[in-house]
Amino acid sequence: MKNLKEIREERGVSQQELADMLQVSQKTVSSWECGYRNPGTKKMQQIEDIFKIPKEEIFFAAFNYKT
């Protein structure tokens, strides 16, 4: 499974570009990628829609959840 940072980088999207798409700060995206904070359900759904990858694949790996 991949995490948000890996997927974002593979797609050639910067933290700031993703932040702009989600209407959050770049610092917020960074905190998600580092595991300091979790995005809310709505933001997880938006990220899933942007990258066309199930949110479980993105976030369960990023936050070390077991599936």
Side-chain angles (χ1 to χ4, degrees), residues 14-30:
S14 71
Q15 283 185 342
Q16 186 60 56
E17 290 169 328
L18 182 58
D20 292 344
M21 287 183 247
L22 297 170
Q23 298 180 331
V24 298
S25 70
Q26 177 273 326
K27 187 174 178 177
T28 296
V29 173
S30 177

Side-chain angles (χ1 to χ4, degrees), residues 30-48:
S30 177
S31 70
W32 295 340
E33 291 182 353
C34 292
Y36 298 133
R37 292 179 50 198
N38 298 334
T41 304
K42 182 177 178 182
K43 293 301 179 193
M44 282 187 190
Q45 184 61 52
Q46 289 176 314
I47 293 167
E48 178 180 38

